Amino acid sequence: MAMVDEPLYPIAVLIDELKNDDIQLRLNSIRRLSTIARALGEERTRKELIPFLSENNDDDDEVLLAMAEELGVFIPYVGGVEHAHVLLPPLETLCTVEETCVRDKAVESLCRIGSQMRESDLVDWFVPLVKRLAAGEWFTARVSACGLFHIAYSSAPEMLKTELRSIYSQLCQDDMPMVRRSAATNLGKFAATVESAYLKSDIMSIFDDLTHDDQDSVRLLAVEGCAALGKLLEPQDCVAHILPVIVNFSQDKSWRVRYMVANQLYELCEAVGPEPTRTDLVPAYVRLLRDNEAEVRIAAAGKVTKFCRILSPELAIQHILPCVKELSSDSSQHVRSALASVIMGMAPVLGKEATIEHLLPIFLSLLKDEFPDVRLNIISKLDQVNQVIGIDLLSQSLLPAIVELAEDRHWRVRLAIIEYIPLLASQLGIGFFDDKLGALCMQWLQDKVYSIRDAAANNLKRLAEEFGPEWAMQHIIPQVLDMTTSPHYLYRMTILRSISLLAPVMGSEITCSKLLPVVVTATKDRVPNIKFNVAKVLQSLIPIVDNSVVEKTIRPSLVELAEDPDVDVRFYANQALQSIDNVMMSGFGIQDAVTLMKT
């Protein structure tokens, strides 16, 4: 039923709930403001509901947040864009509250409304609102104002534009750091709307003030402005105005500013171009890689591959690689982990010879790192190296380390190795795999950690798909079946899981002759958990084998399990029997119908 058809009584209840003492009722009513507005009609919404909301803003933050969100999509309920200005007063009030998330949502809603307003209305209503907020006595209003300039500026006449640029400049020099932070955050958006003639003069002057701010929290936000402004300026202006700032920031006394530079450096390189990057930003990046603070080194290390991509291999080997070698033995495990997550990507950049000579020793040292996350990050990216140096060299140098990690004491490392095995197997080939890694795959089926056993079962399926059923019949199936008599019931459950995964790959014949008898035998197991898993496996085999096998072998086993003392065993057995009945019913109309007609 449409909202407009709702009776007036519930609407009256919703309006009353807006004034209720119970916060949950007020919240519920605010979230259904659109329903109230539809019932009241556009004119009454403008003249009664919106003024009411403007006056009743002394409420819980959660209610105010919901109100700020609802008003952002309220233009259709007040009569369209020509009346959009009536929504500005309540949102203006919300822009001054103390709670940050409410102010942010109010600014977001104002931007959404402002972007739909007519130019004349923007000048008459929106620009004065921005000016009032920017002149607000309480800092919260001035903080909110900074996020609205980019909407107000583009439609303003020339005189107003000059005034708005001047006001923004004053906000960047405000006594309150919170206001200056907001101005720094929104400078890029504001600059994008300013004419290029004023970009170099007014905006760069504002930017210069922010870069010399005594608060590091303001300066670090100015770093983000570097990249945004760099995209707006001509290349020569970018080198003249932005590059010196970046170089200075890379040596800033505050580690938080240096951290931000390290995080943003790749984007900053794109802004200034290749030549200044080589001459000025490479030394800056090297400084960051050798910074005293571990957090800065972590951020810089995480960008090493991206940075090397914009350099020639020679420059990367000459300047960046020595730092990478130092970082591979850094005192902070988090730095080594950040490096390990990206260093493999350097192989395609440096080429085969440099990778073998310089990177392989670093890979090996990181593979033997005492911190598991470092080893994990290296393992997960091995394929990037394989593409460059080839599988022969990879297997000679890295395989011993991989085999060692397959028995790592941290289960997540073992899990990463298992997940990499099918890819490694396809690259190594059958012969090499059988010699080196075959035994490991079986060993993982009896791991103490469930996730490893489950991954090992999936691994067998992927290997059978890779090398084919004949290979699996020789190298996987016999060893899996040997484990069915394991004294530990958890290992027997893993074997059942392996059988259910392998059966679709192996096909009907091998399933019936080799796998199904083992599953049927397991129906006699003394552990209920095994028996209800048997019922699940039998159910999964129904589509794979012929109907005759289902009737002669699977159904009798399930009927027996359906009478088990354990409630879970009975449940899964009956579920499987139901599945058989459904299959038989769906397949009845073709072959079985013909047979029935003959009889």
Side-chain angles (χ1 to χ4, degrees):
M1 193 164 99
M3 290 287 193
V4 286
D5 297 328
E6 288 189 9
L8 286 178
Y9 175 69
I11 300 302
V13 170
L14 285 173
I15 294 170
D16 284 342
E17 282 178 357
L18 285 172
K19 310 170 190 174
N20 200 291
D21 290 337
D22 186 342
I23 179 177
Q24 200 53 50
L25 290 175
R26 294 202 306 279
L27 195 56
N28 173 59
S29 194
I30 286 288
R31 284 180 177 150
R32 300 189 66 188
L33 272 181
S34 56
T35 307
I36 298 172
R38 280 193 188 102
L40 291 174
E42 293 170 359
E43 190 174 349
R44 286 190 67 196
T45 297
R46 292 196 299 272
K47 292 183 176 177
E48 296 174 33
L49 181 60
I50 300 301
F52 171 78
L53 294 174
S54 298
E55 292 160 13
N56 289 271
N57 59 11
D58 186 18
D59 207 332
D60 189 89
D61 293 332
E62 198 175 352
V63 176
L64 295 179
L65 179 63
M67 188 193 301
E69 190 170 4
E70 288 292 323
L71 289 173
V73 292
F74 228 64
I75 288 179
Y77 307 121
V78 294
V81 290
E82 60 268 30
H83 297 289
H85 63 271
V86 303
L87 296 170
L88 301 185
L91 285 168
E92 180 180 353
T93 311
L94 292 174
C95 281
T96 64
V97 301
E98 200 166 338
E99 179 55 48
T100 307
C101 66
V102 175
R103 293 201 310 271
D104 289 346
K105 187 57 71 176
V107 169
E108 186 186 317
S109 291
L110 279 170
C111 289
R112 187 181 292 136
I113 292 166
S115 63
Q116 297 173 63
M117 287 174 73
R118 298 177 302 190
E119 284 196 14
S120 58
D121 288 341
L122 278 169
V123 174
D124 293 341
W125 301 96
F126 200 90
V127 173
L129 175 148
V130 174
K131 288 164 67 176
R132 284 195 300 275
L133 287 173
E137 193 175 337
W138 191 238
F139 80 91
T140 53
R142 304 198 297 278
V143 167
S144 297
C146 296
L148 299 172
F149 275 77
H150 67 287
I151 300 291
Y153 187 84
S154 52
S155 301
E158 197 54 45
M159 287 290 290
L160 264 180
K161 283 184 175 180
T162 306
E163 188 181 356
L164 287 172
R165 292 195 302 273
S166 172
I167 293 170
Y168 202 91
S169 178
Q170 290 166 22
L171 290 171
C172 289
Q173 297 170 9
D174 197 277
D175 292 338
M176 299 295 286
M178 290 78 83
V179 178
R180 301 200 301 274
R181 279 205 296 272
S182 182
T185 302
N186 290 285
L187 182 62
K189 284 191 282 189
F190 180 46
T193 63
V194 173
E195 300 84 351
S196 55
Y198 301 111
L199 199 57
K200 282 192 281 185
S201 54
D202 294 17
I203 297 299
M204 290 316 297
S205 169
I206 291 170
F207 176 65
D208 192 55
D209 289 341
L210 293 171
T211 60
H212 291 96
D213 199 281
D214 58 350
Q215 291 277 329
D216 63 351
S217 60
V218 177
R219 294 199 305 278
L220 68 87
L221 291 168
V223 174
E224 292 183 35
C226 288
L229 289 172
K231 290 170 185 172
L232 300 172
L233 293 168
E234 294 295 322
Q236 63 271 22
D237 294 326
C238 193
V239 171
H241 297 289
I242 303 293
L243 189 60
V245 174
I246 299 169
V247 173
N248 286 337
F249 274 159
S250 71
Q251 305 171 72
D252 196 276
K253 62 188 177 189
S254 166
W255 72 265
R256 293 199 295 164
V257 176
R258 301 196 304 275
Y259 171 85
M260 190 61 79
V261 173
N263 241 342
Q264 300 273 329
L265 197 64
Y266 180 72
E267 286 75 16
L268 298 172
C269 291
E270 288 182 328
V272 299
E275 191 54 42
T277 293
R278 284 193 286 273
T279 54
D280 296 280
L281 291 186
V282 169
Y285 184 58
V286 168
R287 275 196 301 274
L288 293 168
L289 286 170
R290 290 173 168 156
D291 199 273
N292 292 331
E293 287 291 335
E295 283 81 359
V296 179
R297 298 198 301 278
I298 289 167
K303 303 288 181 184
V304 72
T305 295
K306 269 189 168 183
F307 196 81
C308 285
R309 282 190 193 127
I310 54 177
L311 303 177
S312 64
E314 295 74 28
L315 268 176
I317 292 167
Q318 184 184 347
H319 296 287
I320 308 301
L321 208 55
C323 300
V324 169
K325 287 178 181 174
E326 291 169 20
L327 291 174
S328 68
S329 55
D330 195 276
S331 57
S332 167
Q333 62 193 29
H334 303 295
V335 173
R336 301 195 304 274
S337 182
L339 179 67
S341 67
V342 297
I343 191 172
M344 295 306 209
M346 287 181 71
V349 177
L350 298 185
K352 184 172 181 177
E353 288 183 14
T355 297
I356 294 167
E357 185 182 347
H358 300 290
L359 287 182
L360 264 183
I362 299 174
F363 297 158
L364 286 168
S365 72
L366 291 171
L367 268 175
K368 294 171 184 172
D369 198 279
E370 61 181 357
F371 188 53
D373 278 13
V374 178
R375 306 195 294 272
L376 209 55
N377 288 342
I378 285 286
I379 294 158
S380 58
K381 304 280 172 54
L382 278 176
D383 56 313
Q384 293 178 340
V385 182
N386 174 43
Q387 291 164 14
V388 178
I389 67 173
I391 196 64
D392 291 338
L393 194 57
L394 181 70
S395 60
Q396 288 170 26
S397 55
L398 295 181
L399 201 64
I402 291 169
V403 172
E404 193 177 321
L405 288 171
E407 299 173 348
D408 196 277
R409 60 195 173 90
H410 291 275
W411 69 269
R412 283 188 178 86
V413 176
R414 300 200 299 278
L415 186 62
I417 288 285
I418 294 172
E419 287 169 354
Y420 184 67
I421 284 292
L423 176 64
L424 200 60
S426 64
Q427 293 164 348
L428 291 169
I430 291 180
F432 195 94
F433 177 83
D434 289 343
D435 290 345
K436 305 284 183 182
L437 299 174
L440 282 173
C441 294
M442 294 300 153
Q443 184 181 313
W444 284 319
L445 288 171
Q446 297 188 334
D447 197 277
K448 292 177 181 177
V449 178
Y450 167 75
S451 295
I452 301 295
R453 297 196 301 274
D454 190 56
N458 277 292
N459 180 46
L460 293 182
K461 176 197 170 187
R462 290 164 70 189
L463 290 172
E465 289 170 339
E466 177 65 38
F467 294 145
E470 287 183 15
W471 175 86
M473 190 59 217
Q474 281 188 324
H475 296 89
I476 291 181
I477 301 298
Q479 296 181 60
V480 167
L481 298 184
D482 285 346
M483 294 183 190
T484 55
T485 55
S486 169
H488 202 307
Y489 87 94
L490 290 174
Y491 298 159
R492 299 200 298 278
M493 276 174 61
T494 305
I495 298 307
L496 288 171
R497 170 79 174 139
S498 303
I499 288 172
S500 69
L501 291 169
L502 285 167
V505 183
M506 301 308 293
S508 176
E509 191 180 332
I510 293 174
T511 298
C512 290
S513 61
K514 298 289 183 183
L515 303 180
L516 185 56
V518 173
V519 181
V520 170
T521 304
T523 59
K524 305 286 193 290
D525 201 285
R526 65 183 186 278
V527 179
N529 289 39
I530 295 289
K531 286 190 281 190
F532 76 64
N533 274 283
V534 166
K536 286 181 180 181
V537 174
L538 287 172
Q539 184 177 351
S540 72
L541 298 181
I542 294 166
I544 299 166
V545 300
D546 294 336
N547 286 351
S548 59
V549 177
V550 172
E551 288 300 328
K552 289 177 186 174
T553 310
I554 294 180
R555 189 187 286 275
S557 300
L558 289 171
V559 167
E560 187 181 330
L561 289 173
E563 296 172 359
D564 194 89
D566 188 272
V567 63
D568 291 324
V569 177
R570 293 198 304 274
F571 172 80
Y572 286 108
N574 283 315
Q575 198 175 62
L577 285 167
Q578 183 64 47
S579 181
I580 292 177
D581 293 339
N582 292 341
V583 170
M584 292 305 175
M585 288 285 287
S586 61
F588 181 80
I590 306 168
Q591 276 181 305
D592 298 338
V594 173
T595 309
L596 190 63
M597 283 171 69
K598 284 179 182 176
T599 56

